[in-house]
Amino acid sequence: MLRAAGIGVGDEVVVPAFGNVEVAEAVVLAGALPVFADIDPVTYCLDAAAVDAVVGPRTAAVVVVHRFGRLADVPRVRGIGQRRGLLVLEQGESEVPYDEVARRRERAAYLDAKLKGVLTPDGGDGHTYQQYVVRVPGNGRPDRDAFAWALRHKGVECRVPVKTPVHRLPAYRRCVALPETERAADETLALPVDAALTKRDMQRVVAACNALGGLLQPAF
């Protein structure tokens, strides 16, 4: 899409650093330079104000990535694009069948009600829960990593959704301030919410998580 739009050498494209490196790679393959903007701490998608702040004279496009089943604030980003003369592209996630989304939402609602000591995801804007991503607050040490290790030891599958932000990878290293991106990379953990999980599975996830509450400070 970037090449088809005429994006190339000398152009800059605003992209998120929280997520897979493929978006930045696509910009480079088109001959342009990726410029990283910070994310919204609730949706984990590009923050419109942060996008506006990094737009410069060479900026030609913005790539908005929907994340974890939450939609980015595309209308606001498109408004910036219209005002600043930028192409706005979207990268979606794989479609999930409606009946599976409904079951995922049921399991997410159960976790929302039962989990303690972690910050549960905001379910607004039609969240489809491609991943159920919580935040594990830190106490000056990598509590998220200790929490994840303990869960796996109890037989609960979990994963760190973004281990290293793209702007910290050697090939894309930038000296930029992206505090929400880095905080999210340090604190987020994806818990199981697949439609195939039984009630007993969900109870086991909750019991394992809540038993670790002593590791954490309260989530605000």
Side-chain angles (χ1 to χ4, degrees):
M1 287 189 294
L2 291 167
R3 284 175 173 163
I7 305 298
V9 177
D11 292 326
E12 295 180 349
V13 179
V14 179
V15 299
F18 186 74
N20 298 332
V21 71
E22 287 83 1
V23 177
E25 287 178 342
V27 174
V28 172
L29 288 173
L33 178 70
V35 174
F36 300 108
D38 212 355
I39 59 169
D40 177 277
V42 174
T43 66
Y44 303 108
C45 304
L46 278 176
D47 177 75
V51 170
D52 202 21
V54 300
V55 171
R58 293 187 176 182
T59 307
V62 181
V63 179
V64 179
V65 182
H66 305 297
R67 184 69 63 195
F68 307 143
R70 275 296 298 266
L71 295 176
D73 191 353
V74 175
R76 283 190 64 199
V77 177
R78 288 198 182 281
I80 294 169
Q82 291 173 357
R83 178 166 52 84
R84 306 291 291 266
L86 308 175
L87 175 69
V88 177
L89 301 175
E90 296 180 55
Q91 185 191 51
E93 297 176 296
S94 58
E95 293 290 332
V96 177
Y98 180 79
D99 58 341
E100 183 173 340
V101 170
R103 293 196 294 271
R104 284 174 178 259
R105 285 174 174 160
E106 288 177 359
R107 286 152 181 75
Y110 179 83
L111 294 177
D112 289 346
K114 299 292 186 179
L115 288 175
K116 300 176 182 178
V118 297
L119 185 62
T120 56
D122 181 282
D125 297 335
H127 203 321
T128 60
Y129 296 100
Q130 297 249 4
Q131 296 186 58
Y132 185 89
V133 177
V134 301
R135 285 185 183 249
V136 181
N139 292 322
R141 63 182 189 275
D143 284 345
R144 188 273 314 279
D145 295 341
F147 191 86
W149 182 89
L151 285 185
R152 294 184 189 114
H153 188 68
K154 292 175 179 287
V156 174
E157 293 185 10
C158 60
R159 59 183 294 273
V160 175
V162 177
K163 294 182 179 180
T164 306
V166 181
H167 73 297
R168 293 292 180 238
L169 296 175
Y172 299 95
R173 190 173 297 277
R174 303 282 192 278
C175 293
V176 293
L178 303 176
E180 295 298 344
T181 295
E182 299 202 7
R183 189 175 297 115
D186 288 342
E187 295 181 352
T188 52
L189 185 68
L191 299 179
V193 74
D194 295 343
L197 295 172
T198 66
K199 186 174 181 179
R200 178 173 291 183
D201 293 331
M202 301 307 297
Q203 290 172 338
R204 185 160 56 89
V205 172
V206 168
C209 288
N210 291 353
L212 299 173
L215 279 176
L216 311 173
Q217 59 182 214
F220 295 101

